[in-house]
Every structure is written in C-alpha cells, then in structure tokens.
Amino acid sequence: MTWQTEEFGTSHEGFAGAVLADGSEPKPVALDTGSGANGYQTCEWWAYTGQWGRPQAAGYRAACACGWRGQSHPIDWEQIGDGRLDEVDVFAAHDDWAAHIDTVDRQTVPLPGDLTDTLGRLEDQLTRLADQAPVAALRAVGTLERLTRSVGHRAAFATEADDLSPETVGKALGISADAVQSRLAHYQLRH
C-alpha cells in the first residue's frame, strides 16, 4: 500500500519499507502476479517474511520516492499469528511520512496570503454551488479550467525564459525534476 498527496503525487509517494536486522534496506523482491512476464516489484515490509528465500524484515520504516527514510519500528514476528500480516499496525510509518510531507510543503515556494485566501473562498463558493446549482458549478469549473490552462501556459514559458533548472523549480514546487518537465510540457502544449 502506497501513500500519495494530490499536490506532490509520485514525487513523494510513500510506503512502509522493510528494514533488515543490520539496519539496511533489502533489494526489491519480484512478486508473480500471474499476469504475464511483467511481474511486480516491491520493497514493502510485508514482502520480507523470511519465506521463499527472502530475508526477514526486522522492522519497517516510512520510505519516500524522493529517497527520504523515517525511523525504524521493530516487527515482532512471534506476535504475528498464522501469517496475519494485515493485523500489523504500520500507521507509525504513515505518521512519519506525513511529517516528511509537512516538511516538504513548508519548503515549497509560498503563495501570497491574499491568493491563498482567494483560493479558499473560491473553494467554499464552488462547493456550495455544486450542492445548490450543480450545472452552474460545472460551468464555473470549466471557466476555471480554461483560466488555469492559460495562466499555466504563461507561467511555463516564463519559467523557461528565466532559465530556471528543473531541479530548482522542482525544489520550489516540492516535486521531482522529471515531474517539473512533464508539468511544463503539459502547459506548453495545452494552450
């Protein structure tokens, strides 16, 4: 099970990863999903039970696609009865990852206060409108989508004109350099 936020997407996708007794992270294991040659690989803690030639995880910790790792939490395999892995509480890892996401969010470029207020009011108004007049809400959302495409187009070209590297923009937005390039291309092509 992975965790994502809408804002940061796969750039900060998190999961409860395995930790071996020596504190290292095991190599990903391939799982046969029975759907052809393209199997599924994972580093999630539950795949490291010590069975099928895999190492046994001594603990789990939050892991993020950006490379960040949280603190290790021990796994008591004797308490896991009859292979009931679903009963193991790994919410501590999720809490650690959520704190990491809060840190990432604080490091992003801040929005002007008046814009934050405007966006909050707009969300409230659109939510009320969706309940009271859903067709009018759809029209408003369409207008907003056109506006964001147009402004996104301008901002994408201005970002390139300022000669900002994808790494610099990524740090400001809290996403990977690859995600920046994808976002810029999205807005440049959609005008």
Side-chain angles (χ1 to χ4, degrees):
M1 177 165 119
T2 60
W3 315 303
Q4 280 189 20
T5 65
E6 194 169 352
E7 182 174 4
F8 303 125
T10 59
S11 293
H12 287 283
E13 184 174 64
F15 62 94
V19 180
L20 299 178
D22 66 1
S24 67
E25 216 170 271
K27 292 181 181 174
V29 296
L31 304 176
D32 182 8
T33 58
S35 60
N38 295 338
Y40 171 74
Q41 286 195 336
T42 187
C43 289
E44 292 182 63
W45 75 273
W46 52 261
Y48 300 90
T49 60
Q51 298 174 326
W52 305 296
R54 299 177 192 158
Q56 186 177 60
Y60 64 88
R61 67 177 167 204
C64 185
C66 73
W68 173 88
R69 298 297 186 257
Q71 71 177 23
S72 182
H73 302 276
I75 297 172
D76 185 352
W77 288 102
E78 291 181 17
Q79 292 294 324
I80 301 173
D82 298 326
R84 298 292 307 202
L85 297 178
D86 58 332
E87 293 178 2
V88 177
D89 179 0
V90 295
F91 288 113
H94 181 272
D95 290 345
D96 294 343
W97 174 80
H100 163 65
I101 293 301
D102 288 343
T103 300
V104 169
D105 187 52
R106 284 191 305 275
Q107 293 172 348
T108 60
V109 63
L111 295 178
D114 59 337
L115 180 59
T116 301
D117 294 343
T118 299
L119 291 171
R121 285 193 314 275
L122 180 61
E123 180 180 13
D124 291 345
Q125 288 175 337
L126 288 173
T127 300
R128 275 194 307 275
L129 191 60
D131 291 338
Q132 297 167 358
V135 175
L138 288 173
R139 183 171 182 205
V141 167
T143 300
L144 189 56
E145 287 173 345
R146 287 186 296 280
L147 173 66
T148 58
R149 265 195 315 271
S150 175
V151 173
H153 180 77
R154 278 182 83 149
F157 277 102
T159 298
E160 283 197 341
D162 287 346
D163 204 23
L164 298 173
S165 72
E167 291 77 18
T168 299
V169 176
K171 184 168 175 63
L173 297 178
I175 59 177
S176 70
D178 288 341
V180 167
Q181 291 175 326
S182 176
R183 188 173 295 183
L184 291 176
H186 170 78
Y187 284 117
Q188 289 167 338
L189 297 174
R190 298 185 143 250
H191 184 61

Short mmCIF file of all heavy atoms in Angstrom, two decimals, residues 128-186:
data_model
loop_
_atom_site.label_atom_id
_atom_site.label_comp_id
_atom_site.label_asym_id
_atom_site.label_seq_id
_atom_site.Cartn_x
_atom_site.Cartn_y
_atom_site.Cartn_z
N ARG A 128 -20.39 25.07 -2.33
CA ARG A 128 -21.80 25.42 -2.11
C ARG A 128 -22.58 25.39 -3.41
O ARG A 128 -23.69 24.88 -3.48
CB ARG A 128 -21.91 26.80 -1.45
CG ARG A 128 -21.78 26.80 0.05
CD ARG A 128 -22.23 28.11 0.68
NE ARG A 128 -21.60 29.29 0.11
CZ ARG A 128 -20.40 29.76 0.48
NH1 ARG A 128 -19.72 29.16 1.43
NH2 ARG A 128 -19.90 30.84 -0.09
N LEU A 129 -21.98 25.92 -4.47
CA LEU A 129 -22.64 25.96 -5.77
C LEU A 129 -22.90 24.54 -6.30
O LEU A 129 -23.96 24.27 -6.86
CB LEU A 129 -21.80 26.76 -6.77
CG LEU A 129 -22.47 27.12 -8.10
CD1 LEU A 129 -23.73 27.96 -7.87
CD2 LEU A 129 -21.48 27.86 -8.99
N ALA A 130 -21.97 23.64 -6.07
CA ALA A 130 -22.15 22.25 -6.52
C ALA A 130 -23.35 21.61 -5.83
O ALA A 130 -24.06 20.80 -6.43
CB ALA A 130 -20.90 21.43 -6.25
N ASP A 131 -23.61 21.98 -4.57
CA ASP A 131 -24.76 21.45 -3.84
C ASP A 131 -26.07 22.13 -4.27
O ASP A 131 -27.10 21.48 -4.38
CB ASP A 131 -24.58 21.65 -2.33
CG ASP A 131 -23.48 20.78 -1.75
OD1 ASP A 131 -23.13 19.75 -2.38
OD2 ASP A 131 -22.96 21.14 -0.67
N GLN A 132 -26.01 23.45 -4.52
CA GLN A 132 -27.21 24.23 -4.79
C GLN A 132 -27.58 24.32 -6.28
O GLN A 132 -28.75 24.34 -6.63
CB GLN A 132 -27.05 25.64 -4.22
CG GLN A 132 -26.88 25.65 -2.72
CD GLN A 132 -26.40 27.00 -2.20
OE1 GLN A 132 -26.16 27.93 -2.96
NE2 GLN A 132 -26.26 27.09 -0.88
N ALA A 133 -26.56 24.39 -7.12
CA ALA A 133 -26.79 24.54 -8.57
C ALA A 133 -25.67 23.83 -9.32
O ALA A 133 -24.73 24.46 -9.80
CB ALA A 133 -26.85 26.02 -8.95
N PRO A 134 -25.73 22.50 -9.37
CA PRO A 134 -24.62 21.72 -9.92
C PRO A 134 -24.25 22.07 -11.36
O PRO A 134 -23.07 22.05 -11.72
CB PRO A 134 -25.08 20.28 -9.80
CG PRO A 134 -26.49 20.30 -9.40
CD PRO A 134 -26.82 21.66 -8.92
N VAL A 135 -25.21 22.41 -12.20
CA VAL A 135 -24.89 22.76 -13.59
C VAL A 135 -24.10 24.08 -13.63
O VAL A 135 -23.13 24.21 -14.38
CB VAL A 135 -26.17 22.83 -14.45
CG1 VAL A 135 -25.85 23.30 -15.86
CG2 VAL A 135 -26.85 21.46 -14.49
N ALA A 136 -24.50 25.04 -12.81
CA ALA A 136 -23.75 26.30 -12.72
C ALA A 136 -22.34 26.03 -12.20
O ALA A 136 -21.37 26.65 -12.67
CB ALA A 136 -24.49 27.29 -11.83
N ALA A 137 -22.21 25.10 -11.27
CA ALA A 137 -20.88 24.75 -10.75
C ALA A 137 -20.02 24.16 -11.86
O ALA A 137 -18.82 24.47 -11.96
CB ALA A 137 -21.01 23.77 -9.59
N LEU A 138 -20.61 23.31 -12.71
CA LEU A 138 -19.86 22.74 -13.83
C LEU A 138 -19.39 23.84 -14.78
O LEU A 138 -18.26 23.80 -15.28
CB LEU A 138 -20.70 21.72 -14.58
CG LEU A 138 -20.94 20.40 -13.85
CD1 LEU A 138 -21.93 19.53 -14.63
CD2 LEU A 138 -19.63 19.66 -13.64
N ARG A 139 -20.26 24.82 -15.02
CA ARG A 139 -19.86 25.93 -15.89
C ARG A 139 -18.71 26.72 -15.26
O ARG A 139 -17.74 27.07 -15.92
CB ARG A 139 -21.04 26.85 -16.17
CG ARG A 139 -20.66 27.95 -17.11
CD ARG A 139 -21.83 28.75 -17.59
NE ARG A 139 -21.35 29.76 -18.54
CZ ARG A 139 -21.97 30.88 -18.77
NH1 ARG A 139 -23.12 31.15 -18.17
NH2 ARG A 139 -21.47 31.75 -19.62
N ALA A 140 -18.80 26.98 -13.97
CA ALA A 140 -17.75 27.72 -13.26
C ALA A 140 -16.43 26.95 -13.29
O ALA A 140 -15.35 27.54 -13.50
CB ALA A 140 -18.18 27.99 -11.82
N VAL A 141 -16.51 25.65 -13.09
CA VAL A 141 -15.29 24.82 -13.11
C VAL A 141 -14.66 24.84 -14.51
O VAL A 141 -13.44 24.91 -14.66
CB VAL A 141 -15.60 23.38 -12.63
CG1 VAL A 141 -14.45 22.44 -12.94
CG2 VAL A 141 -15.90 23.39 -11.15
N GLY A 142 -15.50 24.79 -15.55
CA GLY A 142 -14.98 24.89 -16.92
C GLY A 142 -14.25 26.20 -17.15
O GLY A 142 -13.17 26.24 -17.76
N THR A 143 -14.82 27.29 -16.66
CA THR A 143 -14.17 28.60 -16.77
C THR A 143 -12.84 28.60 -16.02
O THR A 143 -11.82 29.09 -16.52
CB THR A 143 -15.11 29.71 -16.22
OG1 THR A 143 -16.32 29.70 -16.97
CG2 THR A 143 -14.45 31.07 -16.28
N LEU A 144 -12.84 28.02 -14.84
CA LEU A 144 -11.62 27.95 -14.03
C LEU A 144 -10.56 27.09 -14.72
O LEU A 144 -9.37 27.45 -14.72
CB LEU A 144 -11.96 27.39 -12.65
CG LEU A 144 -10.87 27.43 -11.59
CD1 LEU A 144 -10.36 28.84 -11.38
CD2 LEU A 144 -11.40 26.85 -10.28
N GLU A 145 -10.96 25.99 -15.34
CA GLU A 145 -10.00 25.14 -16.07
C GLU A 145 -9.37 25.90 -17.23
O GLU A 145 -8.16 25.82 -17.46
CB GLU A 145 -10.68 23.87 -16.57
CG GLU A 145 -10.98 22.87 -15.46
CD GLU A 145 -11.80 21.68 -15.93
OE1 GLU A 145 -12.40 21.73 -17.04
OE2 GLU A 145 -11.84 20.69 -15.18
N ARG A 146 -10.17 26.66 -17.95
CA ARG A 146 -9.62 27.46 -19.06
C ARG A 146 -8.65 28.51 -18.54
O ARG A 146 -7.59 28.74 -19.12
CB ARG A 146 -10.75 28.10 -19.87
CG ARG A 146 -11.51 27.09 -20.73
CD ARG A 146 -12.53 27.75 -21.65
NE ARG A 146 -13.61 28.43 -20.95
CZ ARG A 146 -14.68 27.81 -20.43
NH1 ARG A 146 -14.81 26.50 -20.53
NH2 ARG A 146 -15.62 28.50 -19.82
N LEU A 147 -9.01 29.13 -17.44
CA LEU A 147 -8.15 30.15 -16.83
C LEU A 147 -6.82 29.52 -16.39
O LEU A 147 -5.75 30.07 -16.66
CB LEU A 147 -8.86 30.80 -15.64
CG LEU A 147 -8.03 31.77 -14.80
CD1 LEU A 147 -7.67 33.00 -15.63
CD2 LEU A 147 -8.80 32.17 -13.56
N THR A 148 -6.88 28.37 -15.73
CA THR A 148 -5.64 27.75 -15.25
C THR A 148 -4.78 27.27 -16.42
O THR A 148 -3.55 27.35 -16.34
CB THR A 148 -5.92 26.58 -14.28
OG1 THR A 148 -6.74 25.62 -14.91
CG2 THR A 148 -6.56 27.08 -12.99
N ARG A 149 -5.39 26.80 -17.49
CA ARG A 149 -4.60 26.42 -18.67
C ARG A 149 -3.87 27.62 -19.24
O ARG A 149 -2.68 27.56 -19.56
CB ARG A 149 -5.50 25.81 -19.74
CG ARG A 149 -5.57 24.32 -19.71
CD ARG A 149 -6.15 23.73 -20.99
NE ARG A 149 -7.34 24.38 -21.48
CZ ARG A 149 -8.59 24.05 -21.14
NH1 ARG A 149 -8.80 23.07 -20.30
NH2 ARG A 149 -9.62 24.69 -21.66
N SER A 150 -4.57 28.74 -19.36
CA SER A 150 -3.97 29.94 -19.92
C SER A 150 -2.84 30.48 -19.04
O SER A 150 -1.75 30.78 -19.52
CB SER A 150 -5.06 31.01 -20.10
OG SER A 150 -4.50 32.22 -20.53
N VAL A 151 -3.10 30.57 -17.74
CA VAL A 151 -2.08 31.06 -16.81
C VAL A 151 -0.93 30.06 -16.71
O VAL A 151 0.24 30.45 -16.67
CB VAL A 151 -2.69 31.38 -15.43
CG1 VAL A 151 -1.61 31.73 -14.43
CG2 VAL A 151 -3.71 32.50 -15.54
N GLY A 152 -1.25 28.78 -16.70
CA GLY A 152 -0.21 27.75 -16.68
C GLY A 152 0.69 27.84 -17.89
O GLY A 152 1.92 27.68 -17.79
N HIS A 153 0.12 28.11 -19.05
CA HIS A 153 0.88 28.27 -20.29
C HIS A 153 1.87 29.44 -20.15
O HIS A 153 3.07 29.29 -20.43
CB HIS A 153 -0.09 28.51 -21.44
CG HIS A 153 0.55 28.70 -22.77
ND1 HIS A 153 1.06 27.66 -23.50
CD2 HIS A 153 0.78 29.82 -23.49
CE1 HIS A 153 1.57 28.12 -24.63
NE2 HIS A 153 1.41 29.43 -24.64
N ARG A 154 1.37 30.57 -19.67
CA ARG A 154 2.25 31.75 -19.47
C ARG A 154 3.35 31.46 -18.47
O ARG A 154 4.51 31.81 -18.68
CB ARG A 154 1.43 32.93 -18.96
CG ARG A 154 0.71 33.70 -20.01
CD ARG A 154 0.01 34.86 -19.38
NE ARG A 154 0.96 35.96 -19.21
CZ ARG A 154 0.60 37.21 -19.26
NH1 ARG A 154 -0.66 37.54 -19.44
NH2 ARG A 154 1.50 38.16 -19.11
N ALA A 155 2.98 30.83 -17.36
CA ALA A 155 3.95 30.54 -16.31
C ALA A 155 5.01 29.55 -16.79
O ALA A 155 6.20 29.68 -16.46
CB ALA A 155 3.25 30.01 -15.06
N ALA A 156 4.61 28.55 -17.57
CA ALA A 156 5.57 27.56 -18.08
C ALA A 156 6.60 28.23 -18.98
O ALA A 156 7.80 27.98 -18.86
CB ALA A 156 4.83 26.45 -18.83
N PHE A 157 6.14 29.08 -19.88
CA PHE A 157 7.08 29.75 -20.77
C PHE A 157 7.94 30.76 -20.01
O PHE A 157 9.13 30.92 -20.29
CB PHE A 157 6.35 30.40 -21.95
CG PHE A 157 6.09 29.42 -23.05
CD1 PHE A 157 4.83 28.86 -23.20
CD2 PHE A 157 7.10 29.02 -23.91
CE1 PHE A 157 4.59 27.93 -24.21
CE2 PHE A 157 6.87 28.09 -24.91
CZ PHE A 157 5.61 27.54 -25.07
N ALA A 158 7.37 31.45 -19.04
CA ALA A 158 8.15 32.40 -18.23
C ALA A 158 9.21 31.67 -17.41
O ALA A 158 10.33 32.16 -17.26
CB ALA A 158 7.22 33.20 -17.32
N THR A 159 8.87 30.48 -16.92
CA THR A 159 9.84 29.68 -16.16
C THR A 159 11.02 29.32 -17.05
O THR A 159 12.18 29.43 -16.64
CB THR A 159 9.17 28.41 -15.61
OG1 THR A 159 8.13 28.81 -14.71
CG2 THR A 159 10.15 27.52 -14.88
N GLU A 160 10.74 28.89 -18.27
CA GLU A 160 11.83 28.56 -19.20
C GLU A 160 12.60 29.81 -19.61
O GLU A 160 13.82 29.78 -19.72
CB GLU A 160 11.29 27.83 -20.42
CG GLU A 160 10.98 26.38 -20.10
CD GLU A 160 10.85 25.52 -21.34
OE1 GLU A 160 10.63 26.05 -22.45
OE2 GLU A 160 10.96 24.29 -21.18
N ALA A 161 11.91 30.92 -19.82
CA ALA A 161 12.59 32.17 -20.19
C ALA A 161 13.52 32.64 -19.08
O ALA A 161 14.56 33.24 -19.36
CB ALA A 161 11.56 33.24 -20.52
N ASP A 162 13.16 32.38 -17.84
CA ASP A 162 14.01 32.75 -16.70
C ASP A 162 15.19 31.80 -16.55
O ASP A 162 16.03 31.99 -15.68
CB ASP A 162 13.20 32.76 -15.39
CG ASP A 162 12.25 33.93 -15.30
OD1 ASP A 162 12.40 34.89 -16.10
OD2 ASP A 162 11.36 33.89 -14.43
N ASP A 163 15.24 30.76 -17.41
CA ASP A 163 16.33 29.79 -17.44
C ASP A 163 16.53 29.09 -16.09
O ASP A 163 17.65 28.87 -15.65
CB ASP A 163 17.64 30.46 -17.89
CG ASP A 163 18.61 29.47 -18.50
OD1 ASP A 163 18.16 28.40 -18.97
OD2 ASP A 163 19.83 29.75 -18.47
N LEU A 164 15.40 28.77 -15.43
CA LEU A 164 15.46 28.05 -14.17
C LEU A 164 15.60 26.56 -14.45
O LEU A 164 14.90 26.02 -15.31
CB LEU A 164 14.20 28.30 -13.35
CG LEU A 164 13.95 29.76 -12.93
CD1 LEU A 164 12.58 29.89 -12.28
CD2 LEU A 164 15.04 30.22 -11.99
N SER A 165 16.49 25.89 -13.75
CA SER A 165 16.69 24.46 -13.97
C SER A 165 15.49 23.68 -13.43
O SER A 165 14.80 24.14 -12.50
CB SER A 165 17.96 23.98 -13.26
OG SER A 165 17.76 23.96 -11.85
N PRO A 166 15.23 22.51 -14.00
CA PRO A 166 14.14 21.67 -13.47
C PRO A 166 14.35 21.33 -11.99
O PRO A 166 13.38 21.21 -11.24
CB PRO A 166 14.20 20.41 -14.34
CG PRO A 166 14.83 20.86 -15.61
CD PRO A 166 15.81 21.93 -15.22
N GLU A 167 15.59 21.21 -11.55
CA GLU A 167 15.86 20.91 -10.14
C GLU A 167 15.45 22.08 -9.25
O GLU A 167 14.87 21.88 -8.18
CB GLU A 167 17.36 20.58 -9.94
CG GLU A 167 17.81 19.28 -10.57
CD GLU A 167 18.00 19.35 -12.09
OE1 GLU A 167 18.13 20.47 -12.64
OE2 GLU A 167 18.01 18.29 -12.73
N THR A 168 15.74 23.30 -9.69
CA THR A 168 15.38 24.49 -8.92
C THR A 168 13.86 24.63 -8.83
O THR A 168 13.31 24.87 -7.75
CB THR A 168 15.99 25.75 -9.56
OG1 THR A 168 17.41 25.63 -9.56
CG2 THR A 168 15.58 27.01 -8.82
N VAL A 169 13.20 24.45 -9.97
CA VAL A 169 11.74 24.56 -10.00
C VAL A 169 11.13 23.42 -9.17
O VAL A 169 10.18 23.63 -8.42
CB VAL A 169 11.21 24.54 -11.45
CG1 VAL A 169 9.69 24.54 -11.47
CG2 VAL A 169 11.76 25.73 -12.23
N GLY A 170 11.70 22.23 -9.29
CA GLY A 170 11.20 21.08 -8.53
C GLY A 170 11.28 21.31 -7.03
O GLY A 170 10.34 21.01 -6.30
N LYS A 171 12.39 21.86 -6.57
CA LYS A 171 12.52 22.14 -5.13
C LYS A 171 11.47 23.16 -4.69
O LYS A 171 10.85 23.00 -3.63
CB LYS A 171 13.92 22.66 -4.82
CG LYS A 171 14.17 22.88 -3.34
CD LYS A 171 15.63 23.11 -3.07
CE LYS A 171 15.93 23.45 -1.64
NZ LYS A 171 15.64 22.46 -0.67
N ALA A 172 11.22 24.16 -5.52
CA ALA A 172 10.23 25.19 -5.18
C ALA A 172 8.81 24.63 -5.15
O ALA A 172 7.97 25.09 -4.39
CB ALA A 172 10.32 26.35 -6.16
N LEU A 173 8.55 23.62 -6.00
CA LEU A 173 7.21 23.03 -6.07
C LEU A 173 7.09 21.76 -5.22
O LEU A 173 5.98 21.25 -5.06
CB LEU A 173 6.85 22.71 -7.53
CG LEU A 173 6.77 23.90 -8.48
CD1 LEU A 173 6.46 23.41 -9.89
CD2 LEU A 173 5.72 24.89 -8.01
N GLY A 174 8.20 21.23 -4.74
CA GLY A 174 8.16 20.01 -3.94
C GLY A 174 7.99 18.76 -4.78
O GLY A 174 7.47 17.76 -4.29
N ILE A 175 8.43 18.80 -6.04
CA ILE A 175 8.31 17.64 -6.92
C ILE A 175 9.65 17.35 -7.59
O ILE A 175 10.58 18.16 -7.52
CB ILE A 175 7.21 17.85 -8.00
CG1 ILE A 175 7.49 19.08 -8.86
CG2 ILE A 175 5.84 17.96 -7.32
CD1 ILE A 175 6.49 19.31 -9.98
N SER A 176 9.75 16.22 -8.26
CA SER A 176 10.99 15.83 -8.90
C SER A 176 11.23 16.66 -10.17
O SER A 176 10.30 17.23 -10.74
CB SER A 176 10.97 14.35 -9.26
OG SER A 176 10.04 14.12 -10.32
N ALA A 177 12.49 16.67 -10.62
CA ALA A 177 12.83 17.38 -11.85
C ALA A 177 12.07 16.78 -13.04
O ALA A 177 11.63 17.52 -13.94
CB ALA A 177 14.34 17.33 -12.09
N ASP A 178 11.89 15.46 -13.06
CA ASP A 178 11.12 14.81 -14.13
C ASP A 178 9.67 15.29 -14.11
O ASP A 178 9.08 15.53 -15.16
CB ASP A 178 11.16 13.29 -14.00
CG ASP A 178 12.53 12.71 -14.35
OD1 ASP A 178 13.32 13.40 -15.02
OD2 ASP A 178 12.79 11.56 -13.94
N ALA A 179 9.10 15.40 -12.93
CA ALA A 179 7.71 15.87 -12.82
C ALA A 179 7.60 17.33 -13.28
O ALA A 179 6.58 17.71 -13.87
CB ALA A 179 7.21 15.71 -11.39
N VAL A 180 8.63 18.12 -13.03
CA VAL A 180 8.63 19.51 -13.50
C VAL A 180 8.59 19.55 -15.02
O VAL A 180 7.79 20.28 -15.62
CB VAL A 180 9.88 20.28 -12.99
CG1 VAL A 180 10.05 21.61 -13.72
CG2 VAL A 180 9.78 20.51 -11.49
N GLN A 181 9.45 18.76 -15.64
CA GLN A 181 9.50 18.76 -17.10
C GLN A 181 8.15 18.32 -17.68
O GLN A 181 7.68 18.88 -18.66
CB GLN A 181 10.65 17.88 -17.59
CG GLN A 181 11.99 18.53 -17.27
CD GLN A 181 13.17 17.65 -17.61
OE1 GLN A 181 13.13 16.44 -17.51
NE2 GLN A 181 14.25 18.29 -18.01
N SER A 182 7.53 17.34 -17.06
CA SER A 182 6.22 16.88 -17.50
C SER A 182 5.17 17.98 -17.33
O SER A 182 4.35 18.21 -18.21
CB SER A 182 5.82 15.63 -16.71
OG SER A 182 4.54 15.22 -17.04
N ARG A 183 5.21 18.68 -16.20
CA ARG A 183 4.23 19.75 -15.95
C ARG A 183 4.42 20.90 -16.93
O ARG A 183 3.44 21.43 -17.47
CB ARG A 183 4.34 20.24 -14.51
CG ARG A 183 3.24 21.21 -14.13
CD ARG A 183 3.25 21.57 -12.69
NE ARG A 183 2.94 20.41 -11.86
CZ ARG A 183 2.82 20.48 -10.53
NH1 ARG A 183 2.95 21.63 -9.91
NH2 ARG A 183 2.56 19.40 -9.84
N LEU A 184 5.67 21.28 -17.17
CA LEU A 184 5.93 22.37 -18.11
C LEU A 184 5.45 21.99 -19.50
O LEU A 184 4.81 22.79 -20.20
CB LEU A 184 7.41 22.74 -18.13
CG LEU A 184 7.96 23.41 -16.87
CD1 LEU A 184 9.47 23.63 -17.01
CD2 LEU A 184 7.25 24.72 -16.58
N ALA A 185 5.75 20.77 -19.91
CA ALA A 185 5.31 20.31 -21.24
C ALA A 185 3.80 20.30 -21.32
O ALA A 185 3.23 20.67 -22.35
CB ALA A 185 5.90 18.93 -21.52
N HIS A 186 3.14 19.88 -20.26
CA HIS A 186 1.68 19.84 -20.22
C HIS A 186 1.10 21.22 -20.52
O HIS A 186 0.19 21.37 -21.33
CB HIS A 186 1.22 19.33 -18.85
CG HIS A 186 -0.25 19.46 -18.60
ND1 HIS A 186 -1.16 18.59 -19.13
CD2 HIS A 186 -0.96 20.37 -17.90
CE1 HIS A 186 -2.38 18.95 -18.75
NE2 HIS A 186 -2.28 20.03 -17.99
#
